[in-house]
Amino acid sequence: MDWETILLDNWHVKFVCIVLIVAAYIDGKELRVPNWITFPMVLSGLVYSTWVGGLQGLGDGLWGMTVGLLTLLPLYAVGGMGAGDVKLMAGIGAWLGAAVTWWAFVATVVVGAVMAIIMVLSRKAWDKHYGQFLLIAAEWMTIKDPRKLSAIAAERKPRMFLLPYGIPICIGSIGYFLYAGMIY
């Protein structure tokens, strides 16, 4: 394989990987994924999908974007996720479609769970965080108003150990792309 083939084959997936790496780096430093990354990612993904597939491609990009939004939007609605993370998943969907976005999300959940457990164990704070987990789970089971859950999460946030979720999105998604043979 020559360099041109390596660089140009599935270039759109490689582009998404680069954006995810930049977003993860920023999220790791600032605990946020900025709009200057997410909005252009979503819009350029919709343009790309339309370019390669016409109106059907636009529909596929919009459906992928919607799946990306829906994967993390419930957590965002109750204060457990940042809006940048949600928009980052929407950008993956706009570029790569609904099915890829769903499986990237599944991989992201696994990576995020493993990272959270490692972070808690490394701080030797298992009991504290397990208690927090049980409290949050009980709140989700008993409080049905997302606004109230969000207010409780906002009040609790300064005392919580936060996971910059752009990192699991990056690792899980790129891991899935490699597994699926989308990058070579």
Side-chain angles (χ1 to χ4, degrees), residues 60-144:
D60 292 344
L62 288 169
W63 178 235
M65 179 190 73
T66 301
V67 168
L69 287 171
L70 291 176
T71 58
L72 296 178
L73 199 57
L75 278 173
Y76 169 73
V78 296
M81 178 75 49
D85 302 317
V86 178
K87 292 178 278 189
L88 195 60
M89 286 301 298
I92 295 170
W95 273 94
L96 303 177
V100 169
T101 303
W102 172 254
W103 290 112
F105 164 72
V106 170
T108 292
V109 169
V110 172
V111 170
V114 169
M115 283 182 68
I117 290 168
I118 290 170
M119 290 168 68
V120 167
L121 290 176
S122 71
R123 292 190 175 221
K124 297 177 178 39
W126 180 260
D127 291 339
K128 173 188 173 191
H129 290 285
Y130 183 66
Q132 286 284 342
F133 169 77
L134 292 176
L135 177 64
I136 292 167
E139 289 168 356
W140 286 9
M141 300 296 271
T142 57
I143 300 171
K144 302 303 179 195

Side-chain angles (χ1 to χ4, degrees), residues 47 78 184:
V47 168
V78 296
Y184 46 85

